[in-house]
């Protein structure tokens, strides 16, 4: 069976012209945000990337085909679809064989971006080590993928619903560079500062681009994780969001939420508990990440 990889007309042209492309995931659309903000955000994020001179490629599996770039109608259909699978490394191939429709997580989007030759990917926040990991072993496949697929992932850190010190430890063990863009602090998604230092700081995108190329020359697998804090005017400071996150985690335990459902449940709960303020911050940070990712893609294309 040949891999059903379908490029949108726009991405097909961009590839021919050697233009910088930024991959975008689709789990944010199907599981991370409610309608209609999910579609509005997806379109706004694509617009941010175009504004910086790059081309956005939102990735999803539609009826068993890996789509690299979704046109507006397909994006709208996905945003409205019910019962879409949330695909990661483990279930991507089976979803293709079963002709299923599924959104791609960070892990699955990295795999598809690598297959499409796209080296830069923007998301909100990666998955990581969950707080109860010592008991339930819940560690996102995103971390392992960062160690395997050579794709730069630009994000606002790992979500504050996670155990961030353990997440950093696992990334270190896996040899994933965690690069703070113009910051010494690890951002925590809705907040600019997790209270943890970032392992490396870089102030210019060119340096991130050069390190990416050097890592390839050295035969090092895996990507770089670029973390960038959201704007101060958009953030919810960590002491404010912390009790809300704790309450959401308690609720997840009480409702017996497990596996793939945990992260979507917590995000929805936290958005609700903050009267949408967390959702507004989530939208702002994804747009911010997309801008930086586009500039990195431009720098890589010029290098
Ligand atoms: N960033 C967001 N919202 C999201 C996600 C990232 O702003 O919903 C998704 C990504 O697809 C990420 C997933 O891979 O959450 C993590 O899921 P899990 O914890 O089950 O691995
Ligand atoms: Mn998990």
């Amino acid at each position: 069976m040949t891999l059903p990889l379908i490029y949108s007309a726009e991405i097909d042209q961009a590839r021919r012209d050697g233009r910088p492309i930024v991959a975008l995931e689709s789990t944010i659309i199907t599981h991370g945000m409610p309608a209609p903000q999910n579609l509005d955000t997806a379109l706004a994020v694509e617009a941010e990337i175009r504004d910086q001179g790059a081309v956005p490629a939102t990735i999803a599996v539609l009826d068993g085909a890996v789509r690299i770039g979704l046109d507006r109608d397909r994006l709208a259909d996905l945003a409205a679809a019910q019962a879409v699978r949330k695909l990661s490394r483990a279930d991507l191939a089976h979803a293709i064989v079963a002709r299923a429709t599924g959104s791609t997580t960070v892990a699955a989007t990295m795999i598809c971006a690598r297959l499409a030759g796209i080296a830069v990917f923007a998301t909100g926040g990666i998955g990581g080590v969950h707080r109860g990991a010592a008991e339930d072993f819940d560690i996102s496949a995103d971390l392992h993928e960062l160690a395997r697929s050579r794709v730069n992932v630009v994000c606002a850190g790992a979500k504050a619903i996670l155990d961030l010190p353990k997440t950093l430890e696992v990334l270190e063990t896996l040899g994933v560079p965690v690069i703070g863009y113009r910051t010494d602090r690890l951002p925590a998604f809705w907040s600019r500062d997790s209270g943890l230092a970032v392992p490396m700081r870089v102030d210019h995108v060119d340096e991130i681009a050069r390190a990416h190329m050097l890592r390839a020359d050295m035969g090092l697998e895996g990507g770089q994780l670029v973390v960038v804090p959201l704007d101060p005017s958009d953030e919810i400071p960590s002491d404010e969001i912390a009790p809300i996150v704790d309450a959401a985690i308690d609720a997840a335990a009480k409702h017996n939420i497990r596996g793939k459902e945990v992260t979507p449940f917590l995000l929805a709960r936290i958005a609700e508990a903050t009267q949408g303020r967390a959702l507004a911050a989530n939208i702002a940070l994804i747009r911010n990440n997309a801008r930086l990712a586009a500039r990195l893609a431009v720098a890589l294309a010029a290098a």
Side-chain angles (χ1 to χ4, degrees):
M1 168 176 186
T2 55
L3 179 69
L5 204 64
I6 304 180
Y7 297 97
S8 67
E10 186 186 17
I11 296 301
D12 199 44
Q13 193 59 49
R15 282 162 55 86
R16 273 182 233 270
D17 299 342
R19 295 195 54 201
I21 300 173
V22 175
L24 295 166
E25 62 152 302
S26 44
T27 296
I28 296 180
I29 302 170
T30 57
H31 294 74
M33 278 183 198
Q37 286 93 340
N38 60 348
L39 179 59
D40 294 347
T41 304
L43 293 169
V45 166
E46 291 202 344
E48 296 281 8
I49 290 169
R50 290 196 179 93
D51 282 353
Q52 301 295 323
V55 185
T58 301
I59 293 176
V61 176
L62 302 184
D63 300 320
V66 177
R67 295 270 174 179
I68 309 292
L70 299 180
D71 58 35
R72 206 200 147 99
D73 287 349
R74 287 199 175 85
L75 209 51
D77 285 351
L78 188 68
Q82 302 292 317
V84 176
R85 295 186 193 189
K86 174 183 166 186
L87 302 174
S88 190
R89 166 180 269 258
D91 37 21
L92 185 58
H94 176 259
I96 295 168
V97 170
R99 298 190 185 282
T101 288
S103 57
T104 50
T105 58
V106 168
T109 307
M110 287 185 78
I111 294 168
C112 298
R114 171 171 54 78
L115 292 169
I118 303 173
V120 183
F121 161 29
T123 183
I126 58 160
V129 181
H130 282 264
R131 293 192 192 174
E135 283 289 316
D136 62 19
F137 282 55
D138 189 348
I139 301 175
S140 177
D142 293 353
L143 300 183
H144 293 98
E145 205 53 54
L146 279 159
R148 287 163 157 155
S149 284
R150 197 176 285 136
V151 176
N152 294 287
V153 179
V154 182
C155 69
K159 298 184 198 76
I161 56 178
L162 301 164
D163 185 321
L164 296 178
K166 287 198 182 76
T167 300
L168 271 188
E169 287 295 343
V170 170
L171 286 166
E172 187 183 70
T173 301
L174 293 171
V176 176
V178 180
I179 301 169
Y181 180 72
R182 297 192 176 171
T183 181
D184 296 308
R185 314 297 293 169
L186 181 76
F189 202 64
W190 303 283
S191 319
R192 288 171 54 83
D193 186 357
S194 63
L196 298 167
V198 82
M200 276 173 262
R201 174 188 172 128
V202 170
D203 287 343
H204 302 284
V205 280
D206 293 13
E207 260 180 55
I208 305 173
R210 273 158 42 212
H212 171 78
M213 292 188 294
L214 191 58
R215 293 181 82 256
D217 290 346
M218 295 166 85
L220 297 175
E221 290 154 16
Q224 305 187 107
L225 185 66
V226 181
V227 298
V228 55
L230 77 179
D231 211 70
S233 59
D234 295 319
E235 80 155 343
I236 307 179
S238 37
D239 52 346
E240 246 178 90
I241 195 93
I244 296 162
V245 170
D246 291 347
I249 291 172
D250 287 348
K254 208 183 313 143
H255 289 85
N256 240 317
I257 308 293
R258 296 243 187 279
K260 284 175 186 273
E261 263 98 72
V262 173
T263 298
F265 177 90
L266 294 176
L267 289 176
R269 195 88 184 185
I270 293 163
E272 212 177 290
T274 56
Q275 282 88 41
R277 218 178 129 208
L279 180 58
N282 196 346
I283 294 168
L285 69 87
I286 297 175
R287 295 178 65 157
N288 190 46
N289 300 343
R291 280 192 292 273
L292 180 60
R295 290 175 43 216
L296 176 56
V298 169
L300 268 172

